[in-house]
Amino acid sequence: MFKILEANELTTNIFQMIVEAPRVAQACLPGQFLIIRVDEDGERIPLTICDYDREKGTVEIVAQAIGAETFKLGKLKAGDSLADVVGPLGKPSDLCEENLEDLKKKKIVFIAGGVGTAPVYPQAKWLKEHGVDCDVIIGAKTKDLVILEDRFKKVCNLHITTDDGSYGRSGMVTKALQDLWDEGNKYDHCVAIGPMIMMKFVCKLTEELGIPTVVSMNPIMVDGTGMCGACRLTVGGEVKFACVDGPEFDGHKVDFDQAMNRMKLYKTEEGRLMLKAQE
Ligand code: NAD
Ligand code: FES
């Protein structure tokens, strides 16, 4: 069992937890994810890692209550436990592998949309710890849905935009990126993490602007080990599994329309059966 040391609601239906998981905390790097089960009968829930503390042996997760399992997860309190925490899964971010002197010469921008803001945090923090500056654009529908603002301010140059203009800049992340570019921020590298539709349109814009772009894909996952095929994607015309080949991919090569169609199919029983038959 994996003890929950802290559990807080960050905003409506989005909660943060610090969980005791020493082996995962020892090994994980920015970009990787976990699969958890709330109890022994529970479904597996893939979650991105928001932060980790190797000395304390803890990992931090941020999740949105959108289905039965995540609602059950959101009801847990400090002192409760999770039945399973499996990870770290997937490949670490390519940024962790790059030569630091080369990275320092690059102008890097992260685009963090909604709950996708959480997995951007460990990457920005890792860069700061290694002496690399970056810009982060957080996009949220409205002011109340902006998360982790104070923590981001300590590790990056932060730009916030809200769809309704209630806080920061006004409009979606693509508008903020275009405006920052027009204001003279000629970015060399972009990482976009958030809803698929956001990543699709960020990639459309960065392709026009000529900015290489990495996205973190979060399709439906089941086993997280490359065996079940649930997280299948097409990237550059090739079949890839987000759980073992990703979750990060070259955003200009991802077939987002196919990925979004598969997500829609999973929302119906009939669709789930259809996809199972294809696997
Ligand atoms: P949201 O719908 O509130 O969108 C967040 C921001 O994305 C918006 O404020 C806007 O700036 C931008 N955006 C949305 N649609 C856009 C478009 N068409 N063009 C340009 N920009 C657009 O986000 P949410 O409700 O918090 O998102 C939840 C989704 O994020 C879920 O589907 C979840 O699976 C996904 N998610 C993804 C990851 C990941 O690793 N990729 C991690 C966590 C959550
Ligand atoms: Fe099963 Fe990726 S989740 S192959």
Side-chain angles (χ1 to χ4, degrees), residues 11-60:
T11 179
T12 317
N13 285 340
I14 301 180
F15 50 88
Q16 169 250 21
M17 281 177 184
I18 296 182
V19 182
E20 227 171 42
R23 281 165 61 185
V24 180
Q26 269 312 316
C28 67
L29 280 170
Q32 292 185 295
F33 66 98
L34 305 168
I35 292 191
I36 64 141
R37 275 193 317 159
V38 174
D39 51 45
E40 292 201 348
D41 303 320
E43 281 179 27
R44 293 153 177 241
I45 312 174
L47 292 173
T48 31
I49 299 168
C50 173
D51 205 355
Y52 49 87
D53 187 321
R54 300 208 202 284
E55 278 176 24
K56 292 185 183 153
T58 56
V59 289
E60 182 177 342

Side-chain angles (χ1 to χ4, degrees), residues 64 113-116 119 139-141 163 172-174 193-195 197-199 201 216 218:
Q64 186 175 33
V115 199
K141 286 194 192 84
D163 300 3
M172 292 191 179
V173 289
T174 35
I193 309 184
I197 188 78
M198 178 204 94
M199 296 191 284
F201 282 101
S216 178
N218 65 322

Side-chain angles (χ1 to χ4, degrees), residues 13 28 37-38 77 89 102 104 113 115 117-118 143 158 198 205 220 260:
N13 285 340
C28 67
R37 275 193 317 159
V38 174
K77 302 273 172 286
L89 298 168
D102 292 344
K104 284 177 191 166
V115 199
T117 300
K143 183 179 181 200
L158 182 62
M198 178 204 94
L205 175 60
I220 297 294
M260 287 189 286

